[in-house]
Amino acid sequence: AQSVTQLDSQVPVFEEAPVELRCNYSSSVSVYLFWYVQYPNQGLQLLLKYLSGSTLVKGINGFEAEFNKSQTSFHLRKPSVHISDTAEYFCAVRKRGGGADGLTFGKGTHLIIQP
Amino acid sequence: EAGVAQSPRYKIIEKRQSVAFWCNPISGHATLYWYQQILGQGPKLLIQFQNNGVVDDSQLPKDRFSAERLKGVDSTLKIQPAKLEDSAVYLCASSLAEGPNTGELFFGEGSRLTVL
């Protein structure tokens, strides 16, 4: 089984400041890693994913994340946030290899951008 | 490319009534998932289908929830009878079983259920 911990339920940041949203995971098997964003009253949109290869992955809207296997972390970063980045962000893992492989999500981090 | 379609977008019912949600995945996606997202929480997997077979329903409350994907394409999730704690957004997602985008799930906009 897998589990995901998002350490911060809310992160307030001033506009144009950098931000880091933290994610740690636990799994007994190899996993894929994802960050999804959810705007109010909308579905989940993929920001970025780590499948294999380079541990630094870049996504949409200027976000990036780094996979750290030894620390079992996949923190999300953006060097300069915009008011439109206000949303709920979910870290998720998915077991590799097929079978019962639905995403396991963290509880989410609400990113609040202050003008 | 059309995304994952879900209906209805909103539904309000009284407790003990029944409700059904429909999902049409992206064309060609063999795997379909239903998730429950309670306000303030991350989505929780209810059931996973591969074509028309169930792969994982370990977290589905089978005394009141049922789901089917008879022809391996669209799917229906039913709740009968509904309880207050079933108030949530029900998300449908689909994915390719294999290929270059293996790993990614594509989500619909969800069906918001309010049980009074």
Side-chain angles (χ1 to χ4, degrees), chain A residues 32 34 36 38 40-46 49 51 88 90 93-94 97-108, chain B residues 9-10 31 33 35 37 40-43 45 48 55-56 91 95-96 100-109 112:
Chain A
Y32 301 118
F34 303 84
Y36 280 84
Q38 188 173 38
N41 297 315
Q42 294 187 27
L44 291 157
Q45 180 182 1
L46 181 69
K49 60 187 176 185
L51 303 183
E88 194 80 19
F90 293 95
V93 300
R94 184 185 186 194
D101 64 353
L103 285 167
T104 298
F105 286 88
K107 291 186 176 181
Chain B
R9 287 294 314 276
Y10 304 93
T31 311
Y33 308 81
Y35 283 83
Q37 186 178 18
Q41 298 182 21
L45 179 67
Q48 175 187 349
V55 176
D56 182 5
L91 295 164
S95 72
L96 287 167
N101 284 320
T102 295
E104 181 175 351
L105 271 65
F106 296 83
F107 284 84
E109 292 192 322
R112 182 180 297 273

Side-chain angles (χ1 to χ4, degrees), chain B residues 30-84:
Chain B
T31 311
L32 184 148
Y33 308 81
W34 283 103
Y35 283 83
Q36 180 192 56
Q37 186 178 18
I38 293 172
L39 187 64
Q41 298 182 21
K44 182 185 85 170
L45 179 67
L46 293 175
I47 190 166
Q48 175 187 349
F49 291 96
Q50 179 77 16
N51 297 308
N52 60 350
V54 175
V55 176
D56 182 5
D57 63 357
S58 57
Q59 299 188 87
L60 186 73
K62 297 180 186 65
D63 57 335
R64 297 182 300 104
F65 286 66
S66 65
E68 58 184 15
R69 194 185 184 198
L70 293 175
K71 296 183 179 178
V73 181
D74 55 351
S75 175
T76 303
L77 175 71
K78 296 179 182 177
I79 308 173
Q80 182 180 12
K83 292 186 174 182
L84 296 177

